[in-house]
Each structure stands twice: as C-alpha cells, then as structure tokens.
Amino acid sequence: MSYQSEAKLEEKLMSQLVDMGYQKIIIEDEEALHSNFRKIVNRRNIERLNGVELSDKEFERLLLMINGKSIFESAKILRDKHVLTRDDNTKVYIELFDIVKWCKNEFQISNQITMKGKYENRYDVTILINGLPVVQIELKGISISPRQAMQQIVDYKNDAGNGYTNSLMCFMQLFIV
C-alpha cells in the first residue's frame, strides 16, 4: 500500500460522498454553520412558517432551545418538533429532521470546519443532515495511530469553549476514525 497524505485521503473521501449524493458545501466557521442551518430550517419549514422566514430573534430562540445539550438529549431533539414562539406571539412547530421520509432530508458534507474554543479545532470531514453536523470523520495517514485520532476527538469534545457544548456541534452523534 502506498502512502497517501491526509489531504489526499480527505479529497478522495469527499469525492466518494459527492458521488453518493451528498452536497459539498464550504463551512469555515461557526457563523457559516449557523447561516447554513438557518437557511435549511427556513426552507424545510416554509409552509409551517406561512412563507415568512425566521427573524434574527426567532432564530436565536430556536438556537437557545436546541443548543448545549448532551449527546442523548441532542439525539432526541433531532427527532422532535419544537414549538417556537414567533415575534408576533403565534406558535409554530419547527421540524429539524424528517424521520418518516428520511430520504427527503438534505445531506451535506464539509471539510476543515474550524471552531474556536480554548484551542482552534479543525474537523477533517463533517456530515450534516439538514444543516446539523451529525458525523465527524477524523482521517489519519497510515503512519499515525488510530488511537491518536481518537484522542484528538476526545480533546475536541473536552475543549470547554468549543462547539460541542456551545453550538450546533453538540449534535455530533457519530465519530469515525
């Protein structure tokens, strides 16, 4: 087996996922992650929202409802509908995932998402469903121990200021090395 750099492995994996129907998107940081998620929430819930996209304050309220949960709580949030109070005090049910017609969800991939906490964490490949990051793939070349990649994931998760606890990264459900 010939040596392949991490960058080459990442490129090949991204290409394979695109061939399988994933949409490749560029998400460089937390702001871009929120923007992508907001766009998808608005599009997927347009009928429930009566054609009126979420305002900045409404989107902030949605983020407050769903962020900062444990992995178990986050998994439950993915399956539920969420009652959001609109700015005009009406209630609307927001759906994050379509659990009945799962193939109608939007599947995306991004690489090198950078989240800043105590340290700067850069995720090799991330799979997103409806704009929520749910799978992290950590790639290492043949010369690096899988244990080192697993430790890197643990370090990311334990970085108190990172997105695993404060952002949409808390929706990570599966880690692949």
Side-chain angles (χ1 to χ4, degrees):
M1 178 177 205
S2 65
Y3 172 79
Q4 283 187 321
S5 68
E6 255 185 62
K8 190 67 174 168
L9 287 170
E10 193 172 299
E11 181 184 311
K12 287 177 98 176
L13 176 60
M14 294 287 287
S15 178
Q16 287 177 334
L17 290 169
V18 166
D19 289 346
M20 292 170 56
Y22 288 80
Q23 175 193 9
K24 183 178 177 182
I25 58 170
I26 297 172
I27 295 180
E28 295 175 347
D29 55 22
E30 187 171 10
E31 184 179 332
L33 184 64
H34 281 184
S35 177
N36 181 60
F37 173 62
R38 183 177 183 171
K39 179 178 63 176
I40 292 173
V41 164
N42 280 319
R43 182 173 53 243
R44 296 187 55 78
N45 291 279
I46 195 70
E47 288 179 26
R48 290 182 188 94
L49 296 169
N50 293 322
V52 179
E53 293 185 353
L54 296 174
S55 70
D56 291 344
K57 289 187 185 285
E58 291 167 344
F59 185 67
E60 284 176 27
R61 284 195 293 274
L62 177 62
L63 289 178
L64 282 173
M65 282 191 314
I66 67 174
N67 275 348
K69 309 294 190 252
S70 70
I71 291 173
F72 177 77
E73 290 170 320
S74 295
K76 188 175 180 217
I77 285 170
L78 294 174
R79 296 185 308 266
D80 291 340
K81 288 190 172 103
H82 306 280
V83 180
L84 178 70
T85 303
R86 307 253 7 212
D87 292 338
D88 64 3
N89 285 326
T90 59
K91 308 277 187 208
V92 63
Y93 286 91
I94 301 293
E95 182 180 74
L96 301 180
F97 278 20
D98 188 334
I99 60 172
V100 176
K101 297 178 183 170
W102 63 269
C103 58
K104 299 288 185 185
N105 292 304
E106 295 183 39
F107 297 87
Q108 301 171 312
I109 52 169
S110 189
N111 61 326
Q112 299 300 315
I113 296 176
T114 302
M115 300 297 282
K116 292 183 180 167
K118 183 177 179 184
Y119 304 101
E120 183 175 282
N121 300 317
R122 190 173 305 115
Y123 308 103
D124 289 347
V125 176
T126 304
I127 296 176
L128 302 99
I129 302 176
N130 296 342
L132 291 171
V134 294
V135 178
Q136 177 188 339
I137 303 170
E138 188 60 40
L139 299 168
K140 295 295 178 203
I142 194 81
S143 64
I144 302 204
S145 162
R147 181 175 299 274
Q148 186 176 344
M150 291 187 300
Q151 185 59 50
Q152 188 173 342
I153 289 170
V154 170
D155 291 345
Y156 286 167
K157 189 171 184 326
N158 291 335
D159 180 0
N162 78 4
Y164 280 115
T165 54
N166 304 352
S167 178
L168 298 178
M169 297 305 264
C170 72
F171 286 96
M172 240 9 122
Q173 297 295 303
L174 180 64
F175 301 95
I176 301 171
V177 174

